[in-house]
Amino acid sequence: MDPVKVIEIKKSIFEDNEVDADNLRKELKAKGVFLLNLMSSPGSGKTTTLIQTIRLLKEKLRIAVMEADIDSNVDAVKIKEATGIPSIQLHTGGMCHLDAEMTRQGLDNVDLEGLDLVILENVGNLVCPAEFDTGSCKNAMILSVPEGHDKPLKYPLMFSICDVVVINKMDVLPYFDFDLDKCKEYVHMRNPKAQVIPICAKSGEGVENFAGWLLQEVKNWKNQ
Amino acid sequence: MHELGIVFYIIRDVKKVAEENHVPLVKTVVMNIGEVSTVVPEYLTDCWRWAADKEEVLKGCELRCNILKAVTTCNACGAEYATVEHGKICPLCGSEDTVLKCGNEVEIKEIEV
Ligand SMILES: Nc1nc2c(ncn2[C@@H]2O[C@H](COP(=O)(O)OP(=O)(O)OP(=O)(O)O)[C@@H](O)[C@H]2O)c(=O)[nH]1
Ligand SMILES: [Mg+2]
Ligand SMILES: [Zn+2]
Ligand SMILES: [Zn+2]
């Protein structure tokens, strides 16, 4: 038998991604484009919230959306039809999260010239999207009332990396034992700086608070 | 589901190292996997078999996982304790002000060629 030779590597598989993500952020900064990474479980209301938010902001900002569905273009079509803004489908090739390299490939298909804001709807999943920096300037997540107020305890990493936690489907609060105060407490245990914004994406109630936060962040990014 | 994604990153990194070292065939890849990394070693090796055999330099290559213990440090009393048994709350003083010290690693330790 041939002698076995060992080559030591000792390299985290997240390492390259962190470098890619920082580079992407620098390039976006140079172009004056803000990238928001929006995450949640499947069906929490990402697409519905985006449509309402874009309606409030599209006179103030030039916006594009990237939709990362595993295998369909339903959301990209929905956004384009409802808001008229450019929306592209990212092909994740079955991948359960987006990394900075995939985000960059998506951005290559977006005309960034003159854009202020690109919103990335990440794959519906509370676990691994939290582990992979996409190169976004800020991270937001949506937790919907039917999912329960204890999610911050079960998915601590996701809540610890988000700048904003949107609580959606507030209209169904009477039918669930969701405790908003407890939820805020749990979010702040994981991340004292996170803002918690309750909304009803269906009616649009409260969405102005999320849109206001986003508008301010885009301005800060440009003026930094 | 996540494990297949991880396998693609491992393949990318190992192929690069093999190329740099002019290695025609890698026999074993050894991983360090933290107990609370969310990676399930059995799924990882299943995904590995499927994906690695598609690569010339990794045909028949075995993936071995070393499991690393997760340890949490308590900021209140300074104790270090096993994360999997006790979770976020310090078993000595009951504080919730604790941070994970190690145990979420997903790293390629070495390869055998
Ligand atoms: N009752 C109620 N339903 C809502 C609200 N927001 C969204 N929904 C419904 O929830 C379902 C999922 O909404 P989407 O916006 O498609 O959710 P999503 O997170 O984009 O879903 P995926 O992309 O499939 O992960 C749809 O049937 C929406 O109509 C809300 O505020 N209240
Ligand atoms: Mg959607
Ligand atoms: Zn993943
Ligand atoms: Zn303690």
Side-chain angles (χ1 to χ4, degrees):
Chain A
M1 224 174 102
D2 297 337
V4 174
K5 188 176 148 217
V6 173
I7 302 174
E8 178 147 74
I9 301 181
K10 215 142 199 310
K11 175 169 175 278
S12 164
I13 56 140
F14 304 116
E15 210 171 282
D16 287 354
N17 188 57
E18 275 150 34
V19 176
D20 288 348
D22 284 335
N23 287 339
L24 181 56
R25 246 187 308 277
K26 278 190 204 119
E27 289 166 38
L28 290 168
K29 177 82 181 124
K31 290 190 174 118
V33 178
F34 183 97
L35 176 66
L36 178 75
N37 176 22
L38 181 63
M39 295 169 284
S40 84
S41 310
S44 307
K46 295 179 292 295
T47 306
T48 314
T49 303
L50 282 185
I51 290 171
Q52 297 281 17
T53 306
I54 291 162
R55 283 185 181 143
L56 293 175
L57 292 178
K58 71 175 183 183
E59 308 301 326
K60 301 186 179 98
L61 299 172
R62 284 150 303 177
I63 310 171
V65 171
M66 296 199 293
E67 290 287 341
D69 266 322
I70 288 183
D71 195 28
S72 82
N73 64 353
V74 181
D75 285 349
V77 170
K78 226 188 257 172
I79 297 264
K80 202 177 278 173
E81 283 177 0
T83 66
I85 69 152
S87 164
I88 66 149
Q89 183 65 43
L90 274 186
H91 295 288
T92 61
M95 194 75 141
C96 44
H97 62 265
L98 286 177
D99 61 19
E101 182 56 36
M102 292 186 263
T103 306
R104 177 193 297 282
Q105 284 168 13
L107 286 170
D108 286 344
N109 297 305
V110 178
D111 184 9
L112 294 177
E113 201 54 48
L115 275 188
D116 302 304
L117 168 64
V118 177
I119 306 174
L120 171 64
E121 177 174 334
N122 212 315
V123 181
N125 168 350
L126 289 183
V127 184
C128 47
E131 292 183 279
F132 289 90
D133 189 340
T134 55
S136 62
C137 312
K138 292 281 167 181
N139 294 316
M141 71 157 296
I142 300 179
L143 174 65
S144 64
V145 166
E147 293 171 73
H149 56 250
D150 57 358
K151 282 288 179 293
L153 301 180
K154 293 182 178 161
Y155 300 94
L157 186 62
M158 174 57 80
F159 287 83
S160 70
I161 61 147
C162 280
D163 302 282
V164 157
V165 177
V166 172
I167 311 289
N168 187 31
K169 310 196 185 177
M170 286 301 286
D171 55 314
V172 300
L173 200 58
Y175 310 104
F176 292 89
D177 59 359
F178 188 95
D179 185 330
L180 185 59
D181 289 331
K182 273 237 171 66
C183 185
K184 283 183 182 165
E185 186 191 319
Y186 294 159
V187 169
H188 290 136
M189 267 165 64
R190 297 290 165 254
N191 183 354
K193 283 186 283 206
Q195 284 197 46
V196 178
I197 305 178
I199 68 165
C200 171
K202 202 174 166 187
S203 69
E205 228 178 309
V207 177
E208 68 282 2
N209 296 323
F210 176 61
W213 169 81
L214 187 53
L215 182 61
Q216 191 55 50
E217 290 296 336
V218 174
K219 284 184 181 159
N220 294 349
W221 178 250
K222 285 187 189 278
N223 299 327
Q224 245 167 34
Chain B
M1 184 155 84
H2 187 46
E3 280 71 11
L4 184 57
I6 301 282
V7 160
F8 289 134
Y9 293 116
I10 302 172
I11 289 178
R12 178 196 62 189
D13 288 350
V14 170
K15 271 172 76 178
K16 200 162 136 233
V17 173
E19 215 164 281
E20 284 165 6
N21 291 278
H22 311 287
V23 171
L25 190 68
V26 179
K27 288 185 181 140
T28 313
V29 173
V30 184
M31 299 292 298
N32 282 333
I33 308 283
E35 270 182 324
V36 296
S37 64
T38 74
V39 171
V40 182
E42 293 75 47
Y43 294 170
L44 196 67
T45 43
D46 286 351
C47 293
W48 174 260
R49 191 68 286 130
W50 178 82
D53 286 342
K54 292 192 177 9
E55 302 286 339
E56 212 46 60
V57 57
L58 299 174
K59 274 219 164 59
C61 175
E62 184 200 349
L63 185 80
R64 249 187 358 242
C65 297
N66 283 335
I67 308 300
L68 304 184
K69 270 271 190 210
V71 176
T72 297
T73 308
C74 173
N75 288 330
C77 75
E80 287 188 352
Y81 63 86
T83 313
V84 173
E85 282 89 333
H86 304 290
K88 275 291 287 180
I89 299 176
C90 174
L92 273 100
C93 75
S95 170
E96 287 184 27
D97 183 13
T98 57
V99 285
L100 187 70
K101 187 184 166 207
C102 59
N104 60 0
E105 298 81 0
V106 183
E107 66 180 24
I108 306 171
K109 181 171 179 278
E110 60 195 23
I111 60 175
E112 296 172 5
V113 301

